[in-house]
């Protein structure tokens, strides 16, 4: 903005006065209303006075007439007036501050004068003048300088250098040079330019590992970061440190204390989702971990450690919280929820703590919640089907006209699963527990599923469950016996028992001759020991993976054993297991790799590296050497599992690229890629929304195999979260003319609504059971979906993401993925003889309850508010964390997207997240309200 005609002659003395004047006249017509305010007629008296004062200061400072009386101290005084005016005005940035506006026309003049200040560095006054003027120019350049020239930063660096020289000369005036005194906007602008300058130096060849090439920039960073943190701009401080790759500096800040560490750590944790480089990702989370430990918030530190997959820090954290018994109990409850196999040793309460990690009390607490909510009565499959509502009158009459209704094996099998899932964990039902009659209404694999369902009905209750299952282990029917062996595994899913009955009972069957028993025992071990990384179990299963034989039964055993190993060592990157599975895939004949279940061997390998990102690279190279189409499938499965939940955009792009090829045959890897998109973006909201849009495109433009996998990917993205739009989409796809798309969509509806009792989905599924009443396969899928919808009578969830959507449970995600990959070929898995793979969902089943307990783990009902979780990261003040809440007294159920907070100040929770079992203690500062207030 150029000066007007009426302005003082200071500007006119510049050589290019005439050209400038012409430019000004040309610009006059384009000036905004804001600029017109500068016209003297429009200015208030105060503004006129300010403008004149500033112009006088500029002319005094520049001293264009070279008057001898204008000495350096007088110039400094003039400069001080400008500095004072600028500083006092910079504090508000709602509009351009007046001093800044009036000084803008003088910017070039001041720059020219700055360049003309010469003199040796021993003259303190001249040095001080030059340094102060550099600061003023730096502030003016914030709005006037060219963005790419980074003038503001350059002037500030020159000024800092001069102040440094002054300090060496013993001048103390340099100490008042505080960046913050120029205001937040200036600091923010400077931080942006520092990031750009840093990157340009790195591009020019500076080594980012060394501090020397960036010493001047880092000196300013060391001033800006504490300033930002102490002025509630923690997010900007973290951004700047990430920009200059010096995040470790945050750990040395004294300004991070008990008042603001939560905001800093929350921002760090959320920022990790956007780090594409695995090293950066680990560094950001590790910084949050260190800050939590520094603030003695060991529970939150444990949450971050589990997010990184750093199990080695568990003993250290438990040792540090040795004095706080409640904190230790809460940490052990979290380890139990995450299915971490850890033994506490050398602790006076080790037995109790190990019980909590081993989930030994889970069944007891779950049943107490069920009693409290009055849902203990067993439900029959008919209570779920509600066929009296679904069938039209005409349909009923036609059916009755055909004579007696015949029990079909497929319908009975479906009822077995519905009964097992709905009554899961309740210990009683109306089909299996009263007598053995139902068992013999099934045949072969149906009997196996029926006897295995006992394990699910008695879920987590090892003592009682074993008593009921025991008699079937000695049955003369091989399938009943196999089902009982599987039931033992299901029963103790995620529960640690000193006697370790599962291993003792299944050991003999693993090494036996019976094919069915081997399959059941492998699956049972996989479910029982998911995530435990037990070497003794691995030694049992490895020989089965290594066995050779051309019979299809052999490959089935190999695949199920491989899957079980993947579940047991989920996310552990174990070399022995990985090496054995890859070796087996390399040595297998084409005929073996064509087996319908060979893909589970690939999934087992993928699960081994679940969420471990770049650690799976070596295995990927080995898989690429296999000369069979399964090679592509295995590579995609491993890559998507490794980046599960990371939100890595580059990997999503790779997977979309895989889907772009138009293949009619041999497109299994494309189906895995579609599921992979859902898998990578799950748990990260922005990515999940983008993925939904990508799926729309895939449905429009891709071939059939890709379309068939889309409903499954939608299921992965919204496990136990019946989002309206997603249910709508799946409902449309469930009527697709292609049988596989519609079956997958039906099962995905079950997965999305698992354990929610969602009435809309219940209605849709009832309509589908009528619509497909003639299609046995479809009806079976509808029944399974209904079983998932009403799972545990609405008290369970399958969602693998917990602890306020921060941690993903490996075994839970593995269990869901087993179902998803079974759906890629329903005809030969769930609709054939390996329907018992459905029981892998047990690993993902968890009560969605919130119970508050005392120190001795006895119930303590307190008031809590439950509402939809609101994102509060980086927001100012103390924003509300939930919206649309209702107040309840614990125990209470919490769904996937909900969050709870205490509704009373009477107690404090040990855990920062109210989920599962939460230990509460009395608030020492709480005062009872007086009677008058009441």
């Amino acid at each position: 903005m150029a000066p007007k005609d009426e302005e003082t002659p200071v500007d006119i003395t510049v050589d290019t006065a005439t050209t400038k004047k012409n430019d000004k006249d040309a610009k006059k017509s384009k000036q905004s209303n804001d600029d017109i305010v500068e016209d003297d007629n429009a200015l208030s008296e105060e503004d006129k006075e300010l403008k004149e004062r500033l112009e006088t200061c500029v002319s005094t400072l520049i001293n264009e007439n070279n008057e001898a009386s204008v000495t350096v101290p007088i110039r400094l005084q003039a400069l001080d007036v400008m500095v004072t005016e600028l500083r006092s005005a910079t504090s508000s940035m709602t509009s351009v501050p007046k001093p800044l506006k009036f000084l803008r026309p003088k910017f070039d003049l001041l720059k020219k004068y700055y360049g003309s200040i010469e003199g040796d560095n021993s003259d303190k006054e001249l040095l001080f003048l030059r340094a102060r003027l550099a600061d003023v120019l730096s502030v003016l350049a914030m709005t006037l300088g060219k963005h790419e020239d980074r003038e503001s930063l350059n002037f500030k660096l020159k000024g800092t250098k001069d102040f440094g020289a002054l300090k060496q000369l013993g001048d103390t005036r340099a100490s008042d040079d505080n960046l913050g005194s120029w205001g937040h906007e200036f600091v923010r602008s400077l931080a942006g330019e520092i990031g750009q300058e840093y990157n340009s130096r790195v591009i020019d060849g500076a080594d980012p590992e060394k501090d020397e090439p960036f010493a001047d920039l880092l000196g300013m960073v060391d001033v800006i970061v504490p300033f930002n943190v102490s002025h509630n701009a923690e997010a900007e401080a973290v951004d700047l440190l990430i920009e200059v790759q010096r995040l470790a500096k945050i750990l040395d800040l004294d300004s991070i204390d008990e008042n603001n560490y939560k905001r800093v750590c929350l921002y760090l944790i959320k920022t990790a989702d956007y780090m594409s480089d695995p090293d950066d990702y680990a560094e950001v989370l590790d910084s949050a971990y260190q800050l939590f430990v520094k603030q003695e918030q060991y529970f939150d530190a444990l949450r971050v450690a589990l997010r990184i997959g750093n199990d080695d820090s568990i003993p250290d954290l438990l040792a540090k919280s040795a004095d706080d018994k409640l904190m230790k109990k809460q940490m052990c409850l979290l380890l139990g929820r995450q299915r971490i196999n850890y033994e506490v040793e050398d602790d006076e309460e080790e037995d109790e703590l190990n019980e909590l990690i081993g989930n030994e009390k889970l069944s007891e607490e779950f049943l107490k919640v069920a009693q409290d909510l009055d849902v203990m009565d067993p439900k029959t499959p008919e209570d779920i089907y509600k066929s009296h509502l679904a069938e039209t009158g005409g349909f009923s009459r036609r059916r009755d006209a055909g004579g007696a209704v015949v029990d079909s094996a497929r319908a009975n099998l479906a009822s077995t699963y519905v009964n097992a899932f709905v009554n899961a964990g309740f210990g009683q039902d109306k089909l299996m527990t009263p007598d053995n009659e139902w068992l013999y209404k099934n045949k072969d694999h149906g009997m196996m599923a029926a006897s295995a369902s006992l394990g699910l009905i008695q879920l987590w209750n090892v003592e009682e469950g074993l008593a009921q299952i025991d008699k079937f282990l000695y049955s003369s029917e091989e399938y009943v016996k196999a089902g009982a062996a599987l039931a033992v595994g299901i029963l103790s899913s995620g529960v640690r028992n000193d006697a370790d009955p599962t291993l003792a009972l299944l050991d003999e069957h693993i090494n036996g001759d019976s094919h069915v028993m081997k399959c059941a025992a492998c699956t049972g071990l996989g479910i029982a020991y998911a995530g435990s990384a037990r070497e003794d179990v691995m030694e049992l299963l490895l020989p089965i993976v290594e066995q050779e034989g051309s019979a299809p039964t052999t490959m089935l055993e190999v695949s199920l054993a491989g899957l079980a190993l993947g579940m047991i060592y989920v996310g552990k990157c174990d070399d022995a297991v990985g090496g054995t599975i890859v070796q087996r895939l390399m040595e297998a004949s084409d005929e073996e790799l064509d087996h319908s279940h060979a893909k589970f061997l690939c999934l087992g390998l993928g699960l081994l590296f679940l969420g471990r990102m770049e650690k799976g690279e070596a295995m990927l190279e080995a898989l690429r050497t296999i000369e069979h189409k399964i090679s592509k499938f295995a590579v995609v499965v491993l890559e998507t599992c490794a980046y599960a939940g990371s939100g890595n955009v580059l990997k999503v792009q790779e997977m979309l690229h895989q889907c772009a090829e138009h293949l009619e045959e041999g497109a299994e890897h494309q189906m895995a890629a579609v599921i992979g998109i859902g898998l990578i973006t799950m748990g990260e909201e922005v990515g999940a929304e983008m993925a939904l849009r990508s799926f729309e495109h895939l449905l429009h433009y891709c071939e059939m195999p890709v379309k068939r996998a889309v409903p499954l990917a939608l299921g992965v993205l919204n496990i136990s979260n019946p989002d309206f739009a997603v249910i709508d989409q799946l409902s449309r796809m469930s009527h697709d003319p292609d049988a596989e798309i519609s079956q997958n969509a039906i099962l995905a509806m079950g997965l999305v609504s698992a354990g929610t009792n969602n009435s809309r989905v219940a209605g849709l599924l009832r309509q589908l059971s009528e619509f497909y009443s003639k299609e046995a396969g479809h009806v079976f899928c509808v029944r399974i979906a209904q079983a998932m919808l009403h799972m545990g009578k609405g008290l369970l969830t399958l969602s693998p993401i917990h602890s306020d959507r921060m941690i993903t449970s490996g075994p839970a995600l593995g269990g869901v993925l087993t179902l998803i990959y079974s759906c890629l070929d329903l005809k030969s898995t769930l609709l054939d003889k390996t329907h018992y793979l459905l029981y892998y969902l047990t690993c993902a089943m968890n009560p969605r309850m919130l119970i508050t307990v005392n120190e001795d783990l006895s119930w303590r009902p307190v008031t809590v508010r439950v509402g939809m979780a609101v994102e509060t990261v980086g927001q100012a003040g103390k924003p509300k964390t939930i919206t649309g809440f209702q107040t309840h007294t614990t125990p209470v159920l919490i769904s996937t997207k909900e969050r709870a907070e205490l509704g009373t100040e009477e107690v404090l929770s040990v855990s920062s997240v109210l989920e599962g079992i939460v230990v509460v203690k009395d608030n020492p500062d709480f005062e009872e309200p007086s009677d008058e207030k009441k």
Side-chain angles (χ1 to χ4, degrees):
M1 182 188 61
K4 304 282 184 303
D5 304 346
E6 297 89 354
E7 291 191 335
T8 48
V10 178
D11 281 49
I12 311 302
T13 56
V14 181
D15 298 359
T16 53
T18 36
T19 40
K20 272 196 162 186
K21 192 153 184 359
N22 294 340
D23 287 349
K24 272 183 282 170
D25 293 337
K27 282 183 192 171
K28 263 188 183 178
S29 57
K30 294 181 186 173
Q31 281 176 330
S32 65
N33 295 336
D34 211 7
D35 287 344
I36 291 167
V37 177
E38 276 215 17
D39 196 336
D40 275 358
N41 301 328
L43 289 176
S44 67
E45 288 299 319
E46 280 179 20
D47 289 351
K48 273 184 191 170
E49 189 191 330
L50 174 64
K51 186 179 176 194
E52 282 166 16
R53 190 160 69 243
L54 287 171
E55 283 171 354
T56 310
C57 288
V58 171
S59 58
T60 307
L61 176 66
I62 292 172
N63 186 23
E64 61 255 297
N65 300 335
N66 293 325
E67 294 172 24
S69 58
V70 182
T71 57
V72 170
I74 290 175
R75 289 180 178 185
L76 266 174
Q77 276 183 329
L79 189 55
D80 276 343
V81 173
M82 287 160 65
V83 167
T84 311
E85 291 293 348
L86 275 171
R87 280 185 174 174
S88 59
T90 319
S91 55
S92 160
M93 268 294 171
T94 47
S95 60
V96 179
K98 292 282 187 331
L100 202 55
K101 195 184 245 181
F102 298 147
L103 282 172
R104 280 172 69 175
K106 317 291 183 196
F107 180 58
D108 290 333
L109 210 54
L110 288 168
K111 263 205 307 190
K112 189 175 178 187
Y113 172 63
Y114 177 80
S116 69
I117 299 178
E118 294 296 336
D120 63 43
N121 283 353
S122 57
D123 185 344
K124 289 185 186 178
E125 294 302 313
L126 204 61
L127 257 181
F128 188 60
L129 176 71
R130 196 166 67 187
R132 286 306 280 272
L133 182 57
D135 272 2
V136 171
L137 284 169
S138 177
V139 175
L140 292 175
M142 172 172 69
T143 54
L144 287 171
K146 287 179 184 164
H147 191 59
E148 60 279 4
D149 291 348
R150 295 190 279 284
E151 278 187 303
S152 180
L153 176 64
N154 289 333
F155 279 123
K156 189 69 192 165
L157 288 173
K158 286 174 186 170
T160 310
K161 194 175 171 185
D162 285 344
F163 276 127
L166 269 175
K167 225 171 196 171
Q168 284 178 340
L169 294 172
D171 194 319
T172 54
R173 285 178 296 179
S175 60
D176 76 336
D177 172 51
N178 179 7
L179 272 171
S181 59
W182 293 105
H184 280 274
E185 204 60 38
F186 176 62
V187 174
R188 188 175 291 146
S189 158
L190 210 53
E193 293 194 3
I194 288 173
Q196 292 170 358
E197 177 67 23
Y198 179 87
N199 287 331
S200 93
R201 289 189 194 181
V202 171
I203 291 166
D204 293 343
D207 182 1
E209 299 295 318
K210 292 178 181 165
D211 285 354
E212 291 78 31
F214 312 103
D216 50 351
L217 296 180
L218 295 178
M220 292 178 73
V221 168
D222 290 340
V223 177
I224 292 175
V225 169
F227 172 79
N228 275 338
V229 171
S230 53
H231 287 82
N232 301 325
E234 297 92 348
E236 287 168 32
V238 172
D239 286 342
L240 178 59
L241 288 173
I242 289 174
E243 198 71 39
V244 297
Q245 298 178 5
R246 297 291 186 282
L247 192 56
K249 283 178 182 281
I250 204 163
L251 303 174
D252 306 326
L253 291 181
D254 297 328
S255 42
I256 294 181
D257 54 22
E258 68 276 3
N259 299 319
N260 59 10
Y261 77 90
K262 281 186 183 168
R263 289 161 56 84
V264 177
C265 291
L266 179 64
Y267 189 75
L268 283 167
I269 291 162
K270 293 291 180 186
T271 306
D273 285 335
Y274 301 99
M275 294 289 161
S276 55
D277 183 65
D279 293 338
D280 292 346
Y281 174 84
E283 187 190 14
V284 171
L285 287 176
D286 190 56
S287 301
Y289 171 79
Q290 302 284 2
L291 282 175
F292 277 134
V293 171
K294 199 172 168 186
Q295 295 294 329
E296 298 184 357
Q297 299 297 319
Y298 302 119
F299 178 77
D300 286 313
L302 180 61
R303 290 172 64 215
V304 178
L306 293 178
R307 164 86 182 259
I308 309 171
N310 178 11
D311 293 356
D312 299 338
S313 57
I314 296 171
D316 186 36
L317 288 172
L318 284 170
K320 281 180 175 161
S321 57
D323 302 333
D324 191 345
K325 290 181 180 176
L326 298 186
M327 178 72 83
K328 265 197 299 196
K329 285 182 181 173
Q330 193 66 65
M331 286 161 79
C332 290
L333 285 163
L334 178 63
L335 291 174
R337 170 68 179 90
Q338 183 70 357
R339 303 280 194 266
I340 298 285
N341 184 33
Y342 176 75
E343 288 263 359
V344 179
E345 291 166 354
D346 304 329
D347 192 294
E348 57 194 45
E349 294 184 342
E350 62 181 74
D351 290 345
E352 188 183 357
L353 296 177
N354 283 326
E355 267 185 23
L356 294 177
I357 298 176
N359 286 319
E360 290 183 35
K361 293 267 196 315
L362 188 58
S363 174
E364 187 186 318
E365 299 292 350
F366 177 66
L367 289 171
K368 274 169 76 177
V369 172
Q371 277 171 342
D372 192 81
L373 299 173
D374 197 23
V375 290
M376 281 303 290
D377 292 345
K379 279 194 183 311
T380 62
E382 185 48 45
D383 294 338
I384 304 304
Y385 301 159
K386 295 196 170 75
S387 39
H388 60 284
L389 294 176
E391 290 172 357
T392 55
F395 181 78
S396 300
R397 281 196 295 280
R398 273 203 313 277
R399 192 186 66 171
D400 293 342
V405 182
V406 182
D407 271 356
S408 81
R410 175 68 58 85
N412 283 359
L413 181 64
S415 295
T416 299
Y417 282 112
V418 172
N419 181 58
F421 275 73
V422 172
N423 296 302
F426 283 86
Q428 50 182 353
D429 71 316
K430 287 187 176 170
L431 291 190
M432 286 302 300
T433 41
D435 53 34
N436 301 344
E437 192 183 324
W438 180 256
L439 194 59
Y440 297 102
K441 283 190 177 177
N442 294 281
K443 56 183 186 198
D444 296 355
H445 285 85
M447 286 172 122
M448 179 175 167
S451 50
S453 70
L454 270 174
L456 195 49
I457 292 162
Q458 297 287 353
L459 187 60
W460 307 314
N461 190 350
V462 180
E463 313 288 313
E464 280 186 39
L466 279 176
Q468 291 212 18
I469 296 162
D470 190 54
K471 56 178 182 281
F472 296 111
L473 279 168
Y474 305 104
S475 165
S476 54
E477 287 275 0
E478 196 174 33
Y479 286 104
V480 175
K481 207 168 160 184
L486 179 52
V488 174
I490 294 168
L491 177 69
S492 44
S493 166
V495 178
R496 209 164 57 193
N497 190 298
D498 294 338
D500 211 2
T502 316
L503 193 59
L505 291 166
L506 299 188
D507 187 351
E508 54 177 304
H509 302 310
I510 281 282
N511 301 316
D513 299 328
S514 163
H515 165 65
V516 181
M517 292 302 291
K518 270 189 181 176
C519 293
C522 288
T523 309
L525 287 172
I527 294 170
Y529 296 109
S532 69
R534 290 265 301 262
E535 281 191 29
D536 46 354
V537 186
M538 172 177 78
E539 285 160 11
L540 275 180
L541 290 168
L542 280 181
I544 297 186
V545 177
E546 288 165 346
Q547 68 175 335
E548 291 178 11
S550 54
T553 51
T554 311
M555 197 55 194
L556 179 58
E557 289 168 16
V558 169
S559 302
L560 291 177
L563 176 60
L565 280 168
M567 285 295 287
I568 293 165
Y569 279 86
V570 64
K572 297 287 187 290
C573 310
D574 188 86
D575 290 336
V577 178
T580 306
I581 295 178
V582 170
Q583 192 67 27
R584 187 69 182 84
L585 283 167
M586 285 174 160
E587 290 170 0
S589 62
D590 283 0
E591 189 188 354
E592 285 183 303
L593 294 178
D594 286 334
H595 190 281
S596 58
H597 286 65
K599 60 168 122 23
F600 289 113
L601 204 51
C602 305
L603 177 59
L605 186 61
L607 291 177
L608 211 55
F609 294 93
L610 191 68
R612 288 289 163 268
M613 299 202 250
E614 81 290 0
K615 289 186 181 153
E617 296 294 330
M619 289 295 176
L620 281 174
E621 293 309 314
L623 286 173
R624 290 194 175 102
T625 61
I626 300 170
E627 292 173 6
H628 185 272
K629 65 178 182 182
I630 203 166
S631 164
K632 278 185 179 177
F633 177 81
V635 165
V636 173
V637 171
L638 178 52
E639 205 162 0
T640 52
C641 283
Y643 285 87
S646 66
N648 191 311
V649 186
L650 302 175
K651 293 295 169 193
V652 174
Q653 286 172 349
E654 271 180 47
M655 294 307 134
L656 284 167
H657 188 67
Q658 294 269 15
C659 301
E661 278 184 273
H662 292 285
L663 302 173
E664 286 289 351
E665 292 295 314
E668 282 89 352
H669 65 285
Q670 289 190 329
M671 296 171 90
V674 178
I675 293 167
I677 295 170
L679 194 55
I680 293 167
T681 55
M682 72 184 294
E684 195 269 291
E685 301 217 350
V686 180
E689 275 186 42
M690 300 299 283
L692 285 175
R693 292 185 57 191
S694 305
F695 293 150
E696 289 282 351
H697 297 310
L698 296 181
L699 283 173
H700 283 143
Y701 305 114
C702 290
E703 301 299 330
M704 261 347 245
V706 172
K707 290 183 183 179
R708 284 172 186 156
V710 169
L712 300 174
L714 284 170
V716 171
L717 266 184
N718 295 276
I719 301 167
S720 288
N721 175 27
D723 183 69
F724 191 89
V726 173
I727 293 291
D728 223 35
Q729 173 81 299
L730 290 172
S731 178
R732 283 199 298 277
M733 290 161 83
S734 66
H735 291 84
D736 197 276
D738 181 78
E740 288 181 53
I741 291 183
S742 52
Q743 286 172 353
N744 286 348
I746 292 167
L747 285 166
M749 278 168 85
L751 189 59
V752 169
S753 60
T756 61
N757 281 348
N758 186 292
S759 57
R760 183 162 174 261
V761 179
L764 290 170
L765 290 173
R766 276 202 301 275
Q767 288 168 13
L768 285 166
S769 71
E770 187 180 352
F771 184 75
Y772 286 119
S773 56
K774 298 278 196 301
E775 309 274 342
H778 281 80
V779 173
F780 184 76
C781 290
V782 172
R783 297 306 184 217
I784 299 299
Q786 286 175 316
M788 286 195 267
L789 166 66
H790 296 287
M791 190 175 67
K793 298 175 199 164
L795 304 192
L796 296 174
T797 180
L798 287 181
S799 177
I801 304 173
H802 63 102
S803 199
D804 205 9
R805 298 190 67 71
M806 180 175 161
I807 313 172
T808 303
S809 165
L813 188 52
V816 172
L817 284 178
T818 305
L819 169 69
I820 294 289
Y821 279 100
S822 307
C823 294
L824 293 183
D825 185 8
L826 278 170
K827 287 193 185 75
S828 50
T829 54
L830 301 187
L831 300 179
D832 194 36
K833 293 185 174 127
T834 47
H835 43 73
Y836 51 82
L837 287 170
L838 270 171
Y839 285 123
Y840 262 114
L841 282 178
T842 313
C843 301
M845 286 184 195
N846 259 293
R848 58 188 191 96
M849 59 194 184
L850 164 61
I851 308 173
T852 42
V853 294
N854 283 317
E855 186 178 347
D856 59 354
L857 299 185
S858 59
W859 276 23
R860 176 171 185 174
V862 298
T863 315
V864 290
R865 291 189 287 266
V866 179
M868 294 303 289
V870 177
E871 189 64 274
T872 59
V873 63
Q875 290 187 8
K878 291 187 177 176
K880 296 271 187 289
T881 55
I882 57 175
T883 179
F885 61 82
Q886 289 182 320
T887 307
H888 300 277
T889 303
T890 56
V892 59
L893 298 180
I894 295 180
S895 63
T896 312
K897 286 279 179 83
E898 285 181 335
R899 187 183 281 159
E901 57 182 40
L902 287 173
T904 171
E905 292 176 8
E906 200 174 330
V907 293
L908 299 171
S909 67
V910 175
S911 158
S912 53
V913 178
L914 298 191
E915 271 178 41
I917 300 171
V918 176
V919 183
V920 294
K921 56 187 177 186
D922 290 318
N923 182 355
D925 303 329
F926 178 70
E927 290 178 9
E928 283 285 344
S930 58
D931 292 338
E932 293 92 69
K933 284 183 186 171
K934 281 183 182 174

